[in-house]
Each structure stands twice: as structure tokens, then as C-alpha cells.
Amino acid sequence: MLDSRVPGGPLAEKWDRHKFDSKLVNPANRRKFTVIIVGTGLAGASAASSLGELGYHVKSFCIHDSPRRAHSIAAQGGINAAKNYQNDGDSVQRLFYDTIKGGDYRSREANVFRLAQVSVNIIDQCVAQGVPFAREYGGLLDNRSFGGAQVSRTFYARGQTGQQLLLGAYQSMMRQVERGSVTMFPNREMLDLVIVNGQARGIIVRNLITGALERHAAHAVLLCTGGYGTAYYLSTNAVNSNVTAAWRAHKRGAFFANPCYTQIHPTCIPVSGTHQSKLTLMSESLRNDGRVWVPKTQGDKRPPNQIPDSERDYYLERKYPSFGNLVPRDVASRSAKFVCDEGRGVGDSGLAVYLDFADAIKRLGRDVIRMRYGNLFDMYRKITDEDPYQVPMRIFPAIHYTMGGLWVDYNLMSNVPGLHVLGEANFSDHGANRLGASALMQGLADGYFVIPYTLAAYLGGTPLPAVDADMEPFTEAQASVQARIDKLLNVKGHETPRQLHRRLGQLLWDNVGMSRNDADLRKALDEIPRLRDEFWHNLSVPGEPNNVNKNLEYAGRVADYLEFAEVLTLDALHRTESCGGHFREESQTPDGEARRDDQRFSYVGAWEFKGVGTPPALHKEPLEFEYVHPSQRSYK
Ligand SMILES: Cc1cc2nc3c(=O)[nH]c(=O)nc-3n(C[C@H](O)[C@H](O)[C@H](O)COP(=O)(O)OP(=O)(O)OC[C@H]3O[C@@H](n4cnc5c(N)ncnc54)[C@H](O)[C@@H]3O)c2cc1C
């Protein structure tokens, strides 16, 4: 059932050949096709602008009042591309290799090679849109380094790269709105996918201002709805990020792939109490110049500036001399956990390590550091009331990104014909661990450079009988959405959605977090259904369904997390190997590194929904490596 549809031929020629072999849609015929795009982050906005420009009739939906509020706006550090402007040995081949290795050999070679190929086009497109990337003294675009790479290939706009890229994609999309090819539907939440005769042909959305349910029909549906990190409650994601659209598509038949691959980012501002609803990222770019350390001695509570260099353990530089502070995120996060577990963590909670700029300031001067990271330093100071120019930052790992998502083939189509999934919402090209600055690259690759071809092939080559929104599948889907809303409002218990969400998040973080084992995973699988039961007996949702009701929106998303969390945990339990961000304590090397089991687990695990509380069915897409030989990942 899981045909990845990877085209034949040599790796470097697959994409060009595929584009040539694929069907096209005549320019005059494109306006006859309606395409629904859910989500206006980098993946959704780039897809809407590209497809609108081509002449398709696009309907674009988002939960926010403006497309610009998509979580992509928060991305800080940068976007990778194999331009080799630095003349330091980069190439498409090297970006491909770094990404396959960084993902711990759990991604598809052909997809990753295509991603590396189109990375170079993305930068040109964005510059043409006016995205103000940083430049070096000669006028060329500047680069910095991110984890898991020994070249500098990360393009950036201070610490606001996502914002500038999204403004570029947004203005291109708004140009199409002006031209009439894209119609915007803000303040709409997709609550169901409509399938007609086996094809994805529409969606049901709730108007978040009036509460009205609306039906929208189309020839194809694109989900660009982001990741599910917020299942853990505390994460670096925008609080409005959620799993609802993907989960409801899953309940209509789309397989969910590798949900246990969650990324924990090593450099976040540590948790400071139970009052927080989100955590703040300190961009990975800071590890270009910041040095990570803890005291050598357990329980050393002296202020950092009173601990001499000889009594500090720069543990990343010590353990991984080749990559030093720029090891990939999974490796850096686990190392931080280990030193804190040893009792060498800093700060009041002992759950933090230092990220120190003193040496860089001495070497480069305060002005250079301010120019590179000024807004991040300001953000840190505002949140912690400490000045990182004077004292080291305190950082700790936190949930940040999700490599799992809806399963898609090479054409970005799920196993449900017509349902395409782009950006962080798909199970992605990043395998078991994403390298920094590659999510923006993937979202824009999907939207600007892949979907315009593969969607045309689908629309041009598939019989698509006429549908309208009065048909029975739309009526059935709307009725089921209405029934769920009524059910949420009628529990009339005592706990808010936030309280229940926080409890789920803690449960996941404690048992399905940075380091996982059989007993904890089974405990989570035992407790999640109990918490779900409690939710449906004790939830309190004040207010009405027919106007703005934030609690109602939130309750629907928490209900979905409570179903989704079970498959996430089950996936983590079944994968008894360690790979990338999925660390099973039972499967490690003598020096504490992740130990893969290629014999048994070299596959994408895609789960099929069988009912709430009923175990899902596992489908496997074997991973074959023709060009890169999987080996023990080493950054030493
Ligand atoms: C703090 C932070 C910093 C980051 N920095 C970087 C970086 O420097 N470089 C990098 O490569 N990556 C970075 N990432 C990751 C990157 O930002 C994301 O992976 C990427 O932006 C996701 O883009 P997207 O378009 O897939 O989804 P999003 O930007 O999350 O967009 C999702 C869209 O879907 C809509 N939506 C969601 N659910 C529904 C629904 N049910 N109905 C209707 N609409 C819906 C939302 O309104 C939104 O428009 C960072 C992530 C975080 C958390």
C-alpha cells in the first residue's frame, strides 16, 4: 500500500526526469481547478503564491486573523542552501549527505537529494522578493554555521529569518489575492477532511468569529498546518500550533508516519515555573560563538564568573572535538541532560547549562556580537532579567520540532488520493532528527518548487468527477463536526482545557521525552486513555458555540492531542532502537550514543487509524540506501 513513487534513474537525475515525465495542465485549463490550501506558514503561503501565479483557483485557510501570524514567523536562525558562497567545500552532494546522516539514516534518499538540489533556487527566489538576508562586506549574502555541518551554508536575516521569509511569501500570496487567483479565508479552523469516492475533495471549517460551520469543495486539498510539538504543552512552538487538521485527516484514512520522532532543541530558556504556557528558543546560531559548559564538580553553586576556566567542563568540545558546540541538536540535548542528571546542572532548578559568550566578546568585540545576535540577547534579557553580555545564558532542552507527520510519497501526496501534505505537517525529509535551518528550506522547497509540478501531474492525470458541497459526504462530515462541538460543550465539568493539556504535556515529557524506556512508555500508554476519559467527564468549556470562543477551539485541539498522544507513544514503544531524536535507553553504545538497529528498523513506520482506543495498524515503507552507506553516526 505504501508506494513511495520514487522515480527510477540515477539519484541526481530523478527529479528532472520526473518533472519531464509528469503530466502538465494547460495554462488555459488551470483556472478550472480549485485547490484548497490549509495553512499560511512558509509551506502554505509559498504553495498558494506559486499555484496562484500558475493560474489555479486557490482557496487559502488559516486559523489566525492574518496569514502572517503563522508560526513560521517565529523562526530565528536561518535557512540552509548549498550555494557554496563561502568556498568552503559545500555542494548539493554535501548538503544531501549531511541531511541523511543528520537524520540518522531514517529518511528517503531521493527526497533529500531533491531538497538539496532546490535549496539553491529558494535563495534566489527570496532575494528576488526582497528578503533582506544579511550580507558580508563585499555585498554577497553572508552565511553562518548550524549544527551537524562543517561548512557555513545558513542564510539569515539577523535572528528574524522566518519573519522575513514569511513576509516574502505573504506578499507574493497577497499579489495573487489582488489578481483574483487566491481567495483568503482567515479565522477558519479546518475540522474535517471530506472524501468523495476515495478522493480528498473538500474540508469542513469553523468560522472562528461567528461559529458557523462552512463546507468547501475542491479538486485537491493541501495540508500545510505545521507540526504537533504542542502536544507536549510546553514547547518553543507558537501556542496556536496544533495537530488537529493532520489528526482529523488521519481519522479519515491518511497514515501518520514516525510520530515518535520529536526534536528536542538544546538551547531554550529553561522552565521557570507552572505559570508558563510556552518556552522561548535561543537560536542554534548562538552556538557559532557561544560555548556550552557546566562546572566540573557536582553541586557547584558559585556564580559563573567565580568558576575559573580550569574548573569548567566544556563538555561538547571535550566529547566531540570535530564539531564541538555545533553538534546536532539530538546529541547536544542528550549531553545537556546527562550532565544535569549527574548533578552538574546550573541555576536554581539544576536543569540548565551555560551558553557563554565571554570569549567571543573578547575576540570579536561587543558590537560584532550585538550585530549578529542583538535581538536574541534582548529577548533573553527581557525574559530572564539577566544581561547575556555580562553573564552566560542559562539554557535547557525543550520540545521544538516534529519530524513525524502525515505520510507522503515523493509527490507529497498522502495515501489518500488528492490529499497533499507540505512543510512540517508531513513526515518530512529529516528522518529521525532535523538539522538546524532545514525546516524553512523544506517548507519553501515543498511550496515553491515541488508541489507546482507534482500537483499538476495529479490534476492532469486523474479523473476528477464534479463534486459540490451539497453532496452526502459533506453533510456527513459537517454533522460529525457539529456532534463533537456539542459533546465538548455538554461535558460541563470543572477542569479547563489548559489544565488538562498541561497534565498531558507533563505526562509526555516525563515518559516520552528526551530519553525513553519500555517501562515509562507502557506507563504513558496506561495513563493517556485514563486522562482522555477524565477529559470527557470533567472538561469545562464556558461560553457559546456561535461566537468567538477560545476555550471551545482549545478544547477541540486538546481532545485531538489526547487521541494522538497514544499513537505517538505506541510508535516510540515499538521502535526499540535509538535513532536521532528517539533515544531508547535500552539501545545505546557503551559511551551513551544512540545505537540504531538497521536490520529491524530501517523503515518508515506509518500508522493507520482503527478507532479511538483501538490499536492502529502499522505499515512499513522500507528505506533503501543506494548512495550513502548507513554507519554509526559520529561527530567526534
Ligand atoms: C522558535 C522557533 C524557531 C525556529 N527557527 C528555525 C530556523 O531558524 N530555521 C529553520 O529552518 N526552522 C526553524 N524552526 C522550524 C520552522 O519554523 C517550522 O518548522 C516551519 O516554520 C513550519 O512551517 P509550516 O509552513 O510547515 O507551518 P506553520 O508555520 O506552523 O504554519 C501552520 C499554518 O497552518 C494553519 N493551521 C494550523 N492548523 C489549522 C487548522 N486546523 N485549520 C486552519 N489552519 C490551520 C496556521 O494558521 C498556520 O497558518 C523554528 C521553530 C521554532 C519553534
Side-chain angles (χ1 to χ4, degrees):
M1 277 176 89
L2 284 182
D3 180 0
S4 63
R5 293 194 177 79
V6 170
L11 187 64
E13 292 170 26
K14 281 180 195 292
W15 179 230
D16 283 341
R17 279 195 191 188
H18 188 58
K19 286 190 289 185
F20 183 70
D21 290 343
S22 295
K23 282 205 162 19
L24 299 175
V25 178
N26 179 303
N29 285 337
R30 291 185 197 140
R31 63 176 170 274
K32 296 179 189 157
F33 289 105
T34 299
V35 180
I36 283 175
I37 302 183
V38 189
T40 58
L42 285 174
S46 58
S49 61
S50 306
L51 297 174
E53 179 78 37
L54 282 166
Y56 295 102
H57 175 226
V58 175
K59 292 168 105 176
S60 163
F61 298 81
C62 68
I63 50 181
H64 307 283
D65 56 348
S66 158
R68 287 167 305 170
R69 291 197 200 281
H71 157 73
S72 292
I73 203 95
Q76 300 172 349
I79 176 168
N80 286 333
K83 285 283 200 188
N84 194 29
Y85 283 167
Q86 305 301 319
N87 211 14
D88 58 357
D90 202 9
S91 61
V92 166
Q93 183 70 29
R94 190 173 293 281
L95 176 52
F96 159 71
Y97 173 77
D98 287 350
T99 309
I100 291 275
K101 175 184 170 190
D104 219 352
Y105 306 95
R106 290 291 173 264
S107 42
R108 256 188 225 140
E109 276 191 339
N111 284 53
V112 176
F113 198 87
R114 174 178 66 188
L115 179 64
Q117 278 176 311
V118 304
S119 71
V120 295
N121 306 107
I122 294 172
I123 300 303
D124 296 343
Q125 169 114 352
C126 295
V127 169
Q129 286 168 349
V131 171
F133 284 121
R135 289 176 186 268
E136 38 93 304
Y137 73 95
L140 274 184
L141 299 185
D142 196 15
N143 289 132
R144 52 193 178 197
S145 300
F146 264 56
Q150 287 179 310
V151 295
S152 292
R153 62 160 75 97
T154 303
F155 294 77
Y156 64 100
R158 275 199 169 185
Q160 301 161 340
T161 316
Q163 181 188 39
Q164 297 305 325
L165 292 172
L166 188 59
L167 291 176
Y170 165 76
Q171 74 187 8
S172 300
M173 180 172 72
M174 294 314 284
R175 179 162 175 266
Q176 300 307 321
V177 170
E178 181 66 21
R179 295 175 71 200
S181 57
V182 175
T183 310
M184 267 309 311
F185 294 87
N187 292 309
R188 303 295 200 290
E189 180 166 28
M190 172 187 154
L191 294 178
D192 214 345
L193 174 72
V194 183
I195 297 182
V196 183
N197 295 326
Q199 294 169 328
R201 296 303 299 268
I203 58 172
I204 306 294
V205 298
R206 180 167 177 270
N207 180 322
L208 299 177
I209 306 297
T210 66
L213 296 184
E214 300 169 2
R215 306 170 179 196
H216 295 269
H219 295 91
V221 176
L222 272 52
L223 287 195
C224 312
T225 46
Y228 52 82
T230 41
Y232 286 75
Y233 186 65
L234 284 184
S235 83
T236 61
N237 287 211
V239 281
N240 265 330
S241 300
N242 65 88
V243 78
T244 286
W247 184 247
R248 301 213 181 170
H250 173 65
K251 289 172 89 171
R252 291 282 175 190
F255 293 173
F256 216 111
N258 299 337
C260 77
Y261 292 165
T262 50
Q263 175 159 87
I264 293 169
H265 199 298
T267 58
C268 304
I269 299 183
V271 176
S272 60
T274 52
H275 59 283
Q276 289 168 294
S277 57
K278 88 177 286 301
L279 296 175
T280 305
L281 177 74
M282 286 288 105
S283 167
E284 178 159 311
S285 58
L286 293 168
R287 286 196 275 143
N288 273 267
D289 289 307
R291 297 181 72 194
V292 178
W293 65 274
V294 287
K296 281 187 177 164
T297 318
Q298 276 181 1
D300 185 342
K301 290 290 172 199
R302 284 176 292 173
N305 55 8
Q306 289 176 20
I307 302 180
D309 219 44
S310 59
E311 292 177 42
R312 298 176 177 188
D313 180 10
Y314 293 92
Y315 58 89
L316 291 178
E317 296 170 28
R318 172 174 58 79
K319 282 166 63 179
Y320 306 102
S322 300
F323 284 70
N325 293 296
L326 278 172
V327 289
R329 294 169 181 182
D330 54 335
V331 177
S333 293
R334 272 196 294 281
S335 297
K337 179 183 183 318
F338 293 154
V339 293
C340 292
D341 288 351
E342 286 166 3
R344 297 195 288 139
V346 301
D348 290 343
S349 65
L351 292 177
V353 300
Y354 289 128
L355 179 62
D356 196 336
F357 291 86
D359 286 347
I361 291 172
K362 216 179 289 165
R363 193 175 69 248
L364 302 165
R366 191 186 159 109
D367 283 350
V368 173
I369 295 299
R370 190 176 43 75
M371 237 160 52
R372 287 185 187 169
Y373 314 111
N375 71 309
L376 299 171
F377 275 49
D378 289 349
M379 208 156 80
Y380 183 86
R381 191 179 43 73
K382 280 186 191 152
I383 291 174
T384 62
D385 201 24
E386 288 173 0
D387 179 0
Y389 292 102
Q390 305 290 339
V391 289
M393 290 183 178
R394 282 173 296 107
I395 51 162
F396 195 66
I399 292 284
H400 176 69
Y401 180 87
T402 50
M403 284 76 65
L406 292 180
W407 182 88
V408 289
D409 64 16
Y410 187 72
N411 297 320
L412 304 181
M413 189 161 83
S414 73
N415 59 304
V416 175
L419 177 68
H420 296 72
V421 191
L422 283 64
E424 194 174 340
N426 70 27
F427 86 98
S428 98
D429 301 341
H430 311 294
N433 171 61
R434 174 174 75 80
L435 291 183
S438 55
L440 304 183
M441 170 173 74
Q442 183 224 333
L444 292 179
D446 288 359
Y448 284 137
F449 295 109
V450 179
I451 202 70
Y453 297 93
T454 60
L455 185 69
Y458 173 75
L459 295 174
T462 313
L464 291 163
V467 298
D468 71 64
D470 291 330
M471 291 169 80
E472 169 52 26
F474 284 86
T475 308
E476 183 275 322
Q478 182 175 341
S480 98
V481 168
Q482 186 62 57
R484 195 161 172 98
I485 291 173
D486 295 344
K487 194 173 164 192
L488 290 167
L489 286 164
N490 286 325
V491 180
K492 299 196 186 302
H494 302 287
E495 276 201 85
T496 63
R498 182 169 301 283
Q499 286 168 318
L500 289 152
H501 187 190
R502 190 184 287 132
R503 287 172 60 193
L504 173 68
Q506 194 65 50
L507 181 65
L508 288 178
W509 179 247
D510 290 345
N511 298 290
V512 201
M514 235 185 307
S515 159
R516 303 158 176 187
N517 63 54
D518 186 88
D520 286 351
L521 293 166
R522 286 182 197 283
K523 184 170 156 227
L525 279 175
D526 205 41
E527 288 184 19
I528 293 164
R530 278 213 289 274
L531 188 58
R532 190 167 61 227
D533 213 39
E534 202 180 322
F535 174 93
W536 286 110
H537 284 94
N538 201 23
L539 171 72
S540 162
V541 181
E544 305 293 327
N546 54 355
N547 52 33
V548 178
N549 187 336
K550 284 284 167 201
N551 277 298
L552 179 58
E553 291 168 30
Y554 193 16
R557 292 173 201 160
V558 178
D560 291 338
Y561 294 135
L562 282 162
E563 294 174 4
F564 167 69
E566 220 170 343
V567 68
L568 189 161
T569 310
L570 203 61
D571 190 42
L573 180 67
H574 108 281
R575 196 171 275 277
T576 52
E577 66 164 351
S578 294
C579 56
H582 170 63
F583 189 74
R584 283 292 301 256
E585 288 161 16
E586 302 89 341
S587 182
Q588 47 182 311
T589 61
D591 50 353
E593 301 294 341
R595 199 179 62 214
R596 287 196 326 273
D597 180 348
D598 292 336
Q599 286 283 330
R600 293 168 58 223
F601 290 103
S602 188
Y603 60 77
V604 176
W607 298 89
E608 179 184 1
F609 183 74
K610 292 286 185 189
V612 177
T614 306
L618 177 63
H619 301 264
K620 297 177 183 174
E621 180 203 327
L623 291 169
E624 279 145 29
F625 294 91
E626 274 183 74
Y627 294 86
V628 179
H629 180 64
S631 56
Q632 165 76 35
R633 231 166 124 224
S634 170
Y635 293 95
K636 293 191 184 240

